[in-house]
Amino acid sequence: MIDVKLAILGGKGTGKSALIVRFLTKRFIGEYASNFESIYNKCLCLEGKQLNLEIYDPCSQPQKTKFSLTSELHWADGFVIVYDISDRSSFAFAKALIYRIREPQTSHCKRAVESAVLLVGNKQDLCHVREVGWEEGQKLALDNRCQFCELSAAEQSLEVEIMFIRIIKDVLTNFKLKEKRRPSGSKSMAKLINNVFGKRRKSV
Ligand SMILES: Nc1nc2c(ncn2[C@@H]2O[C@H](COP(=O)(O)OP(=O)(O)OP(=O)(O)O)[C@@H](O)[C@H]2O)c(=O)[nH]1
């Protein structure tokens, strides 16, 4: 069983809980409790592997230090950053979150491989009152090595599922990359030790 941990982050009211509930139950309820944080569990099989998926839904209280994110950054294997296409301020918030995740000291010091990040423009059903263009979302994602999609938690069950599968697949790819790097690192260390001590032995 492989553990996959996803954090769903974004501004208040962007539809984080709606996306999670849609993915887990295929339903859109309309109103979701937002005054406590939750971790949801789901077991699923993907690419022949059994996964234990944990999804973190934060509580959007303003007193929670806006961009500290330290525990989330350590905990999560992948991030879904959500904004509301009809609310420009939520896009600015999403941008700040992405910058925080991609900060050099965050992405290089703590991790061998850059975290998987998927930017989601939610509430596509409100495109008649759109404040953020599709191209802006796409550009922000491309510039910061993130995946991108626009969708509607309210109306698109399949798209929400595809979005979650995309980020989970990216996380699994990162796991493979990490595995590849680890043995080659230890091999080269073994080679180095062997060279040093091997040479010494020869000279005795
Ligand atoms: N029109 C529309 N409304 C949506 C959509 N997704 C969520 N909503 C609505 O947006 C509001 C906020 O949704 P939530 O899922 O609670 O958003 P959240 O980001 O979890 O909110 P906080 O936990 O308070 O930050 C609710 O009234 C939802 O019904 C969507 O795709 N389209």
Side-chain angles (χ1 to χ4, degrees), residues 149-185:
C149 70
E150 272 193 3
L151 46 70
S152 163
E155 293 185 351
Q156 296 177 315
S157 191
L158 183 63
E159 280 75 0
V160 172
E161 190 175 339
I162 291 169
M163 180 275 284
F164 272 96
I165 299 298
R166 266 174 84 184
I167 184 73
I168 295 166
K169 282 187 173 173
D170 273 5
V171 167
L172 293 178
T173 304
N174 279 355
F175 286 171
K176 277 187 206 151
L177 282 172
K178 275 184 208 165
E179 259 171 40
K180 267 193 198 161
R181 285 183 187 179
R182 214 175 291 134
S184 74

PDB file of all heavy atoms in Angstrom, residues 149-185:
ATOM      1  N   CYS A 149      -5.898  23.303 -14.721  1.00  0.00           N
ATOM      2  CA  CYS A 149      -7.193  23.060 -15.360  1.00  0.00           C
ATOM      3  C   CYS A 149      -8.231  24.022 -14.781  1.00  0.00           C
ATOM      4  O   CYS A 149      -8.042  24.568 -13.689  1.00  0.00           O
ATOM      5  CB  CYS A 149      -7.656  21.614 -15.199  1.00  0.00           C
ATOM      6  SG  CYS A 149      -8.116  21.172 -13.534  1.00  0.00           S
ATOM      7  N   GLU A 150      -9.261  24.223 -15.574  1.00  0.00           N
ATOM      8  CA  GLU A 150     -10.441  24.949 -15.092  1.00  0.00           C
ATOM      9  C   GLU A 150     -11.577  23.950 -15.050  1.00  0.00           C
ATOM     10  O   GLU A 150     -11.690  23.098 -15.951  1.00  0.00           O
ATOM     11  CB  GLU A 150     -10.818  26.065 -16.065  1.00  0.00           C
ATOM     12  CG  GLU A 150     -10.120  27.358 -15.806  1.00  0.00           C
ATOM     13  CD  GLU A 150     -10.752  28.513 -16.595  1.00  0.00           C
ATOM     14  OE1 GLU A 150     -11.765  28.323 -17.293  1.00  0.00           O
ATOM     15  OE2 GLU A 150     -10.192  29.620 -16.522  1.00  0.00           O
ATOM     16  N   LEU A 151     -12.427  24.035 -14.045  1.00  0.00           N
ATOM     17  CA  LEU A 151     -13.572  23.131 -13.953  1.00  0.00           C
ATOM     18  C   LEU A 151     -14.616  23.710 -13.005  1.00  0.00           C
ATOM     19  O   LEU A 151     -14.436  24.813 -12.465  1.00  0.00           O
ATOM     20  CB  LEU A 151     -13.130  21.734 -13.489  1.00  0.00           C
ATOM     21  CG  LEU A 151     -12.171  21.618 -12.297  1.00  0.00           C
ATOM     22  CD1 LEU A 151     -12.836  22.004 -11.011  1.00  0.00           C
ATOM     23  CD2 LEU A 151     -11.640  20.199 -12.199  1.00  0.00           C
ATOM     24  N   SER A 152     -15.679  22.946 -12.834  1.00  0.00           N
ATOM     25  CA  SER A 152     -16.732  23.363 -11.921  1.00  0.00           C
ATOM     26  C   SER A 152     -17.071  22.202 -10.991  1.00  0.00           C
ATOM     27  O   SER A 152     -17.558  21.164 -11.457  1.00  0.00           O
ATOM     28  CB  SER A 152     -17.977  23.767 -12.735  1.00  0.00           C
ATOM     29  OG  SER A 152     -19.106  23.797 -11.881  1.00  0.00           O
ATOM     30  N   ALA A 153     -16.793  22.403  -9.710  1.00  0.00           N
ATOM     31  CA  ALA A 153     -17.152  21.359  -8.733  1.00  0.00           C
ATOM     32  C   ALA A 153     -18.664  21.169  -8.728  1.00  0.00           C
ATOM     33  O   ALA A 153     -19.167  20.074  -8.491  1.00  0.00           O
ATOM     34  CB  ALA A 153     -16.661  21.747  -7.346  1.00  0.00           C
ATOM     35  N   ALA A 154     -19.386  22.245  -9.027  1.00  0.00           N
ATOM     36  CA  ALA A 154     -20.851  22.190  -8.979  1.00  0.00           C
ATOM     37  C   ALA A 154     -21.434  21.335 -10.103  1.00  0.00           C
ATOM     38  O   ALA A 154     -22.455  20.678  -9.912  1.00  0.00           O
ATOM     39  CB  ALA A 154     -21.418  23.608  -9.065  1.00  0.00           C
ATOM     40  N   GLU A 155     -20.760  21.345 -11.273  1.00  0.00           N
ATOM     41  CA  GLU A 155     -21.406  20.725 -12.451  1.00  0.00           C
ATOM     42  C   GLU A 155     -20.625  19.593 -13.101  1.00  0.00           C
ATOM     43  O   GLU A 155     -21.172  18.905 -13.948  1.00  0.00           O
ATOM     44  CB  GLU A 155     -21.664  21.817 -13.512  1.00  0.00           C
ATOM     45  CG  GLU A 155     -22.693  22.822 -13.036  1.00  0.00           C
ATOM     46  CD  GLU A 155     -23.069  23.841 -14.102  1.00  0.00           C
ATOM     47  OE1 GLU A 155     -22.421  23.880 -15.168  1.00  0.00           O
ATOM     48  OE2 GLU A 155     -24.020  24.596 -13.845  1.00  0.00           O
ATOM     49  N   GLN A 156     -19.332  19.431 -12.717  1.00  0.00           N
ATOM     50  CA  GLN A 156     -18.511  18.484 -13.495  1.00  0.00           C
ATOM     51  C   GLN A 156     -17.860  17.421 -12.619  1.00  0.00           C
ATOM     52  O   GLN A 156     -16.720  17.595 -12.179  1.00  0.00           O
ATOM     53  CB  GLN A 156     -17.439  19.265 -14.259  1.00  0.00           C
ATOM     54  CG  GLN A 156     -18.024  20.212 -15.295  1.00  0.00           C
ATOM     55  CD  GLN A 156     -16.939  21.026 -15.973  1.00  0.00           C
ATOM     56  OE1 GLN A 156     -16.045  21.555 -15.324  1.00  0.00           O
ATOM     57  NE2 GLN A 156     -17.012  21.119 -17.283  1.00  0.00           N
ATOM     58  N   SER A 157     -18.574  16.344 -12.443  1.00  0.00           N
ATOM     59  CA  SER A 157     -18.053  15.265 -11.600  1.00  0.00           C
ATOM     60  C   SER A 157     -16.830  14.589 -12.239  1.00  0.00           C
ATOM     61  O   SER A 157     -15.808  14.381 -11.582  1.00  0.00           O
ATOM     62  CB  SER A 157     -19.158  14.241 -11.371  1.00  0.00           C
ATOM     63  OG  SER A 157     -18.775  13.345 -10.395  1.00  0.00           O
ATOM     64  N   LEU A 158     -16.931  14.274 -13.537  1.00  0.00           N
ATOM     65  CA  LEU A 158     -15.853  13.549 -14.216  1.00  0.00           C
ATOM     66  C   LEU A 158     -14.562  14.377 -14.248  1.00  0.00           C
ATOM     67  O   LEU A 158     -13.474  13.872 -13.978  1.00  0.00           O
ATOM     68  CB  LEU A 158     -16.292  13.177 -15.639  1.00  0.00           C
ATOM     69  CG  LEU A 158     -15.276  12.357 -16.434  1.00  0.00           C
ATOM     70  CD1 LEU A 158     -15.023  11.000 -15.783  1.00  0.00           C
ATOM     71  CD2 LEU A 158     -15.743  12.176 -17.876  1.00  0.00           C
ATOM     72  N   GLU A 159     -14.696  15.677 -14.568  1.00  0.00           N
ATOM     73  CA  GLU A 159     -13.519  16.554 -14.646  1.00  0.00           C
ATOM     74  C   GLU A 159     -12.811  16.625 -13.287  1.00  0.00           C
ATOM     75  O   GLU A 159     -11.593  16.682 -13.213  1.00  0.00           O
ATOM     76  CB  GLU A 159     -13.911  17.967 -15.095  1.00  0.00           C
ATOM     77  CG  GLU A 159     -14.126  18.117 -16.580  1.00  0.00           C
ATOM     78  CD  GLU A 159     -15.445  17.525 -17.057  1.00  0.00           C
ATOM     79  OE1 GLU A 159     -16.216  16.978 -16.233  1.00  0.00           O
ATOM     80  OE2 GLU A 159     -15.706  17.598 -18.273  1.00  0.00           O
ATOM     81  N   VAL A 160     -13.611  16.651 -12.221  1.00  0.00           N
ATOM     82  CA  VAL A 160     -13.012  16.709 -10.873  1.00  0.00           C
ATOM     83  C   VAL A 160     -12.231  15.423 -10.616  1.00  0.00           C
ATOM     84  O   VAL A 160     -11.099  15.458 -10.112  1.00  0.00           O
ATOM     85  CB  VAL A 160     -14.102  16.929  -9.793  1.00  0.00           C
ATOM     86  CG1 VAL A 160     -13.516  16.785  -8.393  1.00  0.00           C
ATOM     87  CG2 VAL A 160     -14.759  18.301  -9.970  1.00  0.00           C
ATOM     88  N   GLU A 161     -12.807  14.298 -11.017  1.00  0.00           N
ATOM     89  CA  GLU A 161     -12.115  13.016 -10.817  1.00  0.00           C
ATOM     90  C   GLU A 161     -10.812  12.993 -11.624  1.00  0.00           C
ATOM     91  O   GLU A 161      -9.756  12.617 -11.105  1.00  0.00           O
ATOM     92  CB  GLU A 161     -13.033  11.873 -11.251  1.00  0.00           C
ATOM     93  CG  GLU A 161     -12.473  10.547 -10.841  1.00  0.00           C
ATOM     94  CD  GLU A 161     -13.405   9.384 -11.150  1.00  0.00           C
ATOM     95  OE1 GLU A 161     -14.617   9.617 -11.309  1.00  0.00           O
ATOM     96  OE2 GLU A 161     -12.895   8.264 -11.226  1.00  0.00           O
ATOM     97  N   ILE A 162     -10.883  13.441 -12.879  1.00  0.00           N
ATOM     98  CA  ILE A 162      -9.689  13.451 -13.733  1.00  0.00           C
ATOM     99  C   ILE A 162      -8.610  14.345 -13.112  1.00  0.00           C
ATOM    100  O   ILE A 162      -7.427  14.004 -13.102  1.00  0.00           O
ATOM    101  CB  ILE A 162     -10.045  13.933 -15.170  1.00  0.00           C
ATOM    102  CG1 ILE A 162     -10.898  12.869 -15.865  1.00  0.00           C
ATOM    103  CG2 ILE A 162      -8.801  14.246 -15.987  1.00  0.00           C
ATOM    104  CD1 ILE A 162     -11.535  13.309 -17.174  1.00  0.00           C
ATOM    105  N   MET A 163      -9.030  15.472 -12.568  1.00  0.00           N
ATOM    106  CA  MET A 163      -8.083  16.403 -11.946  1.00  0.00           C
ATOM    107  C   MET A 163      -7.343  15.718 -10.790  1.00  0.00           C
ATOM    108  O   MET A 163      -6.113  15.789 -10.679  1.00  0.00           O
ATOM    109  CB  MET A 163      -8.860  17.645 -11.478  1.00  0.00           C
ATOM    110  CG  MET A 163      -8.044  18.713 -10.818  1.00  0.00           C
ATOM    111  SD  MET A 163      -7.774  18.462  -9.063  1.00  0.00           S
ATOM    112  CE  MET A 163      -9.359  18.916  -8.380  1.00  0.00           C
ATOM    113  N   PHE A 164      -8.083  15.020  -9.915  1.00  0.00           N
ATOM    114  CA  PHE A 164      -7.440  14.349  -8.780  1.00  0.00           C
ATOM    115  C   PHE A 164      -6.503  13.236  -9.263  1.00  0.00           C
ATOM    116  O   PHE A 164      -5.403  13.074  -8.736  1.00  0.00           O
ATOM    117  CB  PHE A 164      -8.493  13.798  -7.805  1.00  0.00           C
ATOM    118  CG  PHE A 164      -8.910  14.808  -6.769  1.00  0.00           C
ATOM    119  CD1 PHE A 164     -10.053  15.578  -6.951  1.00  0.00           C
ATOM    120  CD2 PHE A 164      -8.154  15.018  -5.618  1.00  0.00           C
ATOM    121  CE1 PHE A 164     -10.442  16.535  -6.005  1.00  0.00           C
ATOM    122  CE2 PHE A 164      -8.533  15.960  -4.671  1.00  0.00           C
ATOM    123  CZ  PHE A 164      -9.683  16.719  -4.859  1.00  0.00           C
ATOM    124  N   ILE A 165      -6.948  12.496 -10.291  1.00  0.00           N
ATOM    125  CA  ILE A 165      -6.098  11.418 -10.812  1.00  0.00           C
ATOM    126  C   ILE A 165      -4.797  11.999 -11.383  1.00  0.00           C
ATOM    127  O   ILE A 165      -3.714  11.442 -11.197  1.00  0.00           O
ATOM    128  CB  ILE A 165      -6.848  10.593 -11.914  1.00  0.00           C
ATOM    129  CG1 ILE A 165      -8.103   9.934 -11.328  1.00  0.00           C
ATOM    130  CG2 ILE A 165      -5.939   9.552 -12.558  1.00  0.00           C
ATOM    131  CD1 ILE A 165      -7.886   8.934 -10.230  1.00  0.00           C
ATOM    132  N   ARG A 166      -4.895  13.157 -12.040  1.00  0.00           N
ATOM    133  CA  ARG A 166      -3.690  13.803 -12.602  1.00  0.00           C
ATOM    134  C   ARG A 166      -2.666  14.107 -11.522  1.00  0.00           C
ATOM    135  O   ARG A 166      -1.485  13.807 -11.669  1.00  0.00           O
ATOM    136  CB  ARG A 166      -4.076  15.125 -13.284  1.00  0.00           C
ATOM    137  CG  ARG A 166      -4.342  14.996 -14.764  1.00  0.00           C
ATOM    138  CD  ARG A 166      -4.857  16.305 -15.315  1.00  0.00           C
ATOM    139  NE  ARG A 166      -3.811  17.252 -15.656  1.00  0.00           N
ATOM    140  CZ  ARG A 166      -4.060  18.503 -16.082  1.00  0.00           C
ATOM    141  NH1 ARG A 166      -5.307  18.929 -16.206  1.00  0.00           N
ATOM    142  NH2 ARG A 166      -3.083  19.310 -16.386  1.00  0.00           N
ATOM    143  N   ILE A 167      -3.125  14.709 -10.438  1.00  0.00           N
ATOM    144  CA  ILE A 167      -2.173  15.094  -9.388  1.00  0.00           C
ATOM    145  C   ILE A 167      -1.625  13.848  -8.685  1.00  0.00           C
ATOM    146  O   ILE A 167      -0.439  13.782  -8.353  1.00  0.00           O
ATOM    147  CB  ILE A 167      -2.774  16.136  -8.393  1.00  0.00           C
ATOM    148  CG1 ILE A 167      -1.730  16.608  -7.366  1.00  0.00           C
ATOM    149  CG2 ILE A 167      -4.002  15.636  -7.678  1.00  0.00           C
ATOM    150  CD1 ILE A 167      -0.697  17.512  -7.880  1.00  0.00           C
ATOM    151  N   ILE A 168      -2.470  12.829  -8.510  1.00  0.00           N
ATOM    152  CA  ILE A 168      -1.981  11.594  -7.869  1.00  0.00           C
ATOM    153  C   ILE A 168      -0.920  10.935  -8.756  1.00  0.00           C
ATOM    154  O   ILE A 168       0.117  10.479  -8.271  1.00  0.00           O
ATOM    155  CB  ILE A 168      -3.148  10.618  -7.582  1.00  0.00           C
ATOM    156  CG1 ILE A 168      -4.103  11.231  -6.555  1.00  0.00           C
ATOM    157  CG2 ILE A 168      -2.621   9.283  -7.061  1.00  0.00           C
ATOM    158  CD1 ILE A 168      -5.452  10.529  -6.448  1.00  0.00           C
ATOM    159  N   LYS A 169      -1.153  10.924 -10.074  1.00  0.00           N
ATOM    160  CA  LYS A 169      -0.168  10.336 -10.994  1.00  0.00           C
ATOM    161  C   LYS A 169       1.157  11.098 -10.934  1.00  0.00           C
ATOM    162  O   LYS A 169       2.228  10.506 -10.979  1.00  0.00           O
ATOM    163  CB  LYS A 169      -0.706  10.329 -12.429  1.00  0.00           C
ATOM    164  CG  LYS A 169      -1.696   9.216 -12.669  1.00  0.00           C
ATOM    165  CD  LYS A 169      -2.062   9.141 -14.134  1.00  0.00           C
ATOM    166  CE  LYS A 169      -2.921   7.908 -14.397  1.00  0.00           C
ATOM    167  NZ  LYS A 169      -3.431   7.863 -15.759  1.00  0.00           N
ATOM    168  N   ASP A 170       1.079  12.419 -10.835  1.00  0.00           N
ATOM    169  CA  ASP A 170       2.297  13.223 -10.714  1.00  0.00           C
ATOM    170  C   ASP A 170       3.056  12.879  -9.441  1.00  0.00           C
ATOM    171  O   ASP A 170       4.284  12.814  -9.425  1.00  0.00           O
ATOM    172  CB  ASP A 170       1.941  14.723 -10.681  1.00  0.00           C
ATOM    173  CG  ASP A 170       1.843  15.289 -12.079  1.00  0.00           C
ATOM    174  OD1 ASP A 170       1.953  14.507 -13.033  1.00  0.00           O
ATOM    175  OD2 ASP A 170       1.647  16.514 -12.210  1.00  0.00           O
ATOM    176  N   VAL A 171       2.309  12.680  -8.360  1.00  0.00           N
ATOM    177  CA  VAL A 171       2.951  12.317  -7.089  1.00  0.00           C
ATOM    178  C   VAL A 171       3.648  10.963  -7.237  1.00  0.00           C
ATOM    179  O   VAL A 171       4.795  10.787  -6.813  1.00  0.00           O
ATOM    180  CB  VAL A 171       1.909  12.278  -5.940  1.00  0.00           C
ATOM    181  CG1 VAL A 171       2.484  11.613  -4.702  1.00  0.00           C
ATOM    182  CG2 VAL A 171       1.429  13.688  -5.605  1.00  0.00           C
ATOM    183  N   LEU A 172       2.975  10.005  -7.892  1.00  0.00           N
ATOM    184  CA  LEU A 172       3.567   8.673  -8.072  1.00  0.00           C
ATOM    185  C   LEU A 172       4.829   8.755  -8.931  1.00  0.00           C
ATOM    186  O   LEU A 172       5.820   8.079  -8.663  1.00  0.00           O
ATOM    187  CB  LEU A 172       2.550   7.708  -8.700  1.00  0.00           C
ATOM    188  CG  LEU A 172       1.340   7.359  -7.823  1.00  0.00           C
ATOM    189  CD1 LEU A 172       0.383   6.437  -8.579  1.00  0.00           C
ATOM    190  CD2 LEU A 172       1.764   6.712  -6.508  1.00  0.00           C
ATOM    191  N   THR A 173       4.806   9.620  -9.955  1.00  0.00           N
ATOM    192  CA  THR A 173       5.998   9.828 -10.785  1.00  0.00           C
ATOM    193  C   THR A 173       7.142  10.362  -9.930  1.00  0.00           C
ATOM    194  O   THR A 173       8.289   9.922 -10.052  1.00  0.00           O
ATOM    195  CB  THR A 173       5.685  10.825 -11.932  1.00  0.00           C
ATOM    196  OG1 THR A 173       4.581  10.323 -12.663  1.00  0.00           O
ATOM    197  CG2 THR A 173       6.873  11.020 -12.852  1.00  0.00           C
ATOM    198  N   ASN A 174       6.824  11.301  -9.045  1.00  0.00           N
ATOM    199  CA  ASN A 174       7.854  11.848  -8.152  1.00  0.00           C
ATOM    200  C   ASN A 174       8.423  10.775  -7.228  1.00  0.00           C
ATOM    201  O   ASN A 174       9.622  10.757  -6.960  1.00  0.00           O
ATOM    202  CB  ASN A 174       7.277  12.996  -7.314  1.00  0.00           C
ATOM    203  CG  ASN A 174       7.242  14.296  -8.093  1.00  0.00           C
ATOM    204  OD1 ASN A 174       7.732  14.353  -9.218  1.00  0.00           O
ATOM    205  ND2 ASN A 174       6.679  15.327  -7.506  1.00  0.00           N
ATOM    206  N   PHE A 175       7.553   9.903  -6.726  1.00  0.00           N
ATOM    207  CA  PHE A 175       8.035   8.800  -5.873  1.00  0.00           C
ATOM    208  C   PHE A 175       9.063   7.958  -6.639  1.00  0.00           C
ATOM    209  O   PHE A 175      10.097   7.589  -6.114  1.00  0.00           O
ATOM    210  CB  PHE A 175       6.876   7.902  -5.423  1.00  0.00           C
ATOM    211  CG  PHE A 175       5.992   8.504  -4.356  1.00  0.00           C
ATOM    212  CD1 PHE A 175       4.798   7.882  -3.995  1.00  0.00           C
ATOM    213  CD2 PHE A 175       6.345   9.675  -3.704  1.00  0.00           C
ATOM    214  CE1 PHE A 175       3.974   8.412  -3.010  1.00  0.00           C
ATOM    215  CE2 PHE A 175       5.526  10.223  -2.721  1.00  0.00           C
ATOM    216  CZ  PHE A 175       4.338   9.592  -2.368  1.00  0.00           C
ATOM    217  N   LYS A 176       8.727   7.673  -7.932  1.00  0.00           N
ATOM    218  CA  LYS A 176       9.642   6.851  -8.743  1.00  0.00           C
ATOM    219  C   LYS A 176      10.978   7.569  -8.927  1.00  0.00           C
ATOM    220  O   LYS A 176      12.034   6.976  -8.825  1.00  0.00           O
ATOM    221  CB  LYS A 176       9.020   6.578 -10.122  1.00  0.00           C
ATOM    222  CG  LYS A 176       8.044   5.420 -10.112  1.00  0.00           C
ATOM    223  CD  LYS A 176       7.620   5.104 -11.545  1.00  0.00           C
ATOM    224  CE  LYS A 176       6.249   4.441 -11.537  1.00  0.00           C
ATOM    225  NZ  LYS A 176       5.484   4.704 -12.751  1.00  0.00           N
ATOM    226  N   LEU A 177      10.906   8.891  -9.205  1.00  0.00           N
ATOM    227  CA  LEU A 177      12.137   9.665  -9.395  1.00  0.00           C
ATOM    228  C   LEU A 177      12.997   9.645  -8.142  1.00  0.00           C
ATOM    229  O   LEU A 177      14.210   9.493  -8.207  1.00  0.00           O
ATOM    230  CB  LEU A 177      11.789  11.128  -9.730  1.00  0.00           C
ATOM    231  CG  LEU A 177      11.353  11.416 -11.159  1.00  0.00           C
ATOM    232  CD1 LEU A 177      10.857  12.851 -11.285  1.00  0.00           C
ATOM    233  CD2 LEU A 177      12.508  11.182 -12.116  1.00  0.00           C
ATOM    234  N   LYS A 178      12.332   9.783  -6.992  1.00  0.00           N
ATOM    235  CA  LYS A 178      13.070   9.760  -5.723  1.00  0.00           C
ATOM    236  C   LYS A 178      13.753   8.413  -5.524  1.00  0.00           C
ATOM    237  O   LYS A 178      14.899   8.354  -5.115  1.00  0.00           O
ATOM    238  CB  LYS A 178      12.110  10.017  -4.552  1.00  0.00           C
ATOM    239  CG  LYS A 178      11.876  11.480  -4.278  1.00  0.00           C
ATOM    240  CD  LYS A 178      10.994  11.640  -3.062  1.00  0.00           C
ATOM    241  CE  LYS A 178      10.197  12.917  -3.145  1.00  0.00           C
ATOM    242  NZ  LYS A 178       9.101  12.976  -2.201  1.00  0.00           N
ATOM    243  N   GLU A 179      13.026   7.345  -5.841  1.00  0.00           N
ATOM    244  CA  GLU A 179      13.588   5.992  -5.695  1.00  0.00           C
ATOM    245  C   GLU A 179      14.810   5.831  -6.581  1.00  0.00           C
ATOM    246  O   GLU A 179      15.830   5.302  -6.159  1.00  0.00           O
ATOM    247  CB  GLU A 179      12.560   4.948  -6.119  1.00  0.00           C
ATOM    248  CG  GLU A 179      11.859   4.294  -4.950  1.00  0.00           C
ATOM    249  CD  GLU A 179      10.710   3.435  -5.425  1.00  0.00           C
ATOM    250  OE1 GLU A 179      10.864   2.758  -6.462  1.00  0.00           O
ATOM    251  OE2 GLU A 179       9.655   3.469  -4.769  1.00  0.00           O
ATOM    252  N   LYS A 180      14.702   6.323  -7.836  1.00  0.00           N
ATOM    253  CA  LYS A 180      15.822   6.196  -8.786  1.00  0.00           C
ATOM    254  C   LYS A 180      17.044   6.926  -8.256  1.00  0.00           C
ATOM    255  O   LYS A 180      18.152   6.464  -8.374  1.00  0.00           O
ATOM    256  CB  LYS A 180      15.423   6.802 -10.131  1.00  0.00           C
ATOM    257  CG  LYS A 180      14.855   5.806 -11.095  1.00  0.00           C
ATOM    258  CD  LYS A 180      14.786   6.411 -12.464  1.00  0.00           C
ATOM    259  CE  LYS A 180      13.836   5.603 -13.330  1.00  0.00           C
ATOM    260  NZ  LYS A 180      13.379   6.346 -14.487  1.00  0.00           N
ATOM    261  N   ARG A 181      16.799   8.113  -7.688  1.00  0.00           N
ATOM    262  CA  ARG A 181      17.935   8.912  -7.240  1.00  0.00           C
ATOM    263  C   ARG A 181      18.627   8.298  -6.048  1.00  0.00           C
ATOM    264  O   ARG A 181      19.829   8.364  -5.917  1.00  0.00           O
ATOM    265  CB  ARG A 181      17.491  10.334  -6.903  1.00  0.00           C
ATOM    266  CG  ARG A 181      17.236  11.085  -8.171  1.00  0.00           C
ATOM    267  CD  ARG A 181      16.856  12.495  -7.936  1.00  0.00           C
ATOM    268  NE  ARG A 181      16.464  13.076  -9.213  1.00  0.00           N
ATOM    269  CZ  ARG A 181      16.056  14.310  -9.376  1.00  0.00           C
ATOM    270  NH1 ARG A 181      15.976  15.107  -8.337  1.00  0.00           N
ATOM    271  NH2 ARG A 181      15.732  14.760 -10.561  1.00  0.00           N
ATOM    272  N   ARG A 182      17.829   7.705  -5.151  1.00  0.00           N
ATOM    273  CA  ARG A 182      18.399   7.166  -3.911  1.00  0.00           C
ATOM    274  C   ARG A 182      19.417   6.057  -4.178  1.00  0.00           C
ATOM    275  O   ARG A 182      20.551   6.189  -3.770  1.00  0.00           O
ATOM    276  CB  ARG A 182      17.290   6.694  -2.984  1.00  0.00           C
ATOM    277  CG  ARG A 182      17.661   6.913  -1.547  1.00  0.00           C
ATOM    278  CD  ARG A 182      16.522   6.566  -0.624  1.00  0.00           C
ATOM    279  NE  ARG A 182      15.407   7.467  -0.714  1.00  0.00           N
ATOM    280  CZ  ARG A 182      14.137   7.104  -0.799  1.00  0.00           C
ATOM    281  NH1 ARG A 182      13.820   5.834  -0.841  1.00  0.00           N
ATOM    282  NH2 ARG A 182      13.186   7.998  -0.828  1.00  0.00           N
ATOM    283  N   PRO A 183      19.042   4.965  -4.930  1.00  0.00           N
ATOM    284  CA  PRO A 183      20.029   3.896  -5.097  1.00  0.00           C
ATOM    285  C   PRO A 183      21.269   4.363  -5.830  1.00  0.00           C
ATOM    286  O   PRO A 183      22.367   3.969  -5.474  1.00  0.00           O
ATOM    287  CB  PRO A 183      19.302   2.833  -5.919  1.00  0.00           C
ATOM    288  CG  PRO A 183      17.900   3.248  -6.003  1.00  0.00           C
ATOM    289  CD  PRO A 183      17.780   4.652  -5.534  1.00  0.00           C
ATOM    290  N   SER A 184      21.104   5.247  -6.848  1.00  0.00           N
ATOM    291  CA  SER A 184      22.288   5.675  -7.581  1.00  0.00           C
ATOM    292  C   SER A 184      23.198   6.470  -6.659  1.00  0.00           C
ATOM    293  O   SER A 184      24.412   6.376  -6.732  1.00  0.00           O
ATOM    294  CB  SER A 184      21.904   6.484  -8.814  1.00  0.00           C
ATOM    295  OG  SER A 184      21.466   7.748  -8.417  1.00  0.00           O
ATOM    296  N   GLY A 185      22.615   7.227  -5.737  1.00  0.00           N
ATOM    297  CA  GLY A 185      23.407   7.993  -4.766  1.00  0.00           C
ATOM    298  C   GLY A 185      24.188   7.058  -3.880  1.00  0.00           C
ATOM    299  O   GLY A 185      25.397   7.201  -3.706  1.00  0.00           O
TER     300      GLY A 185
END
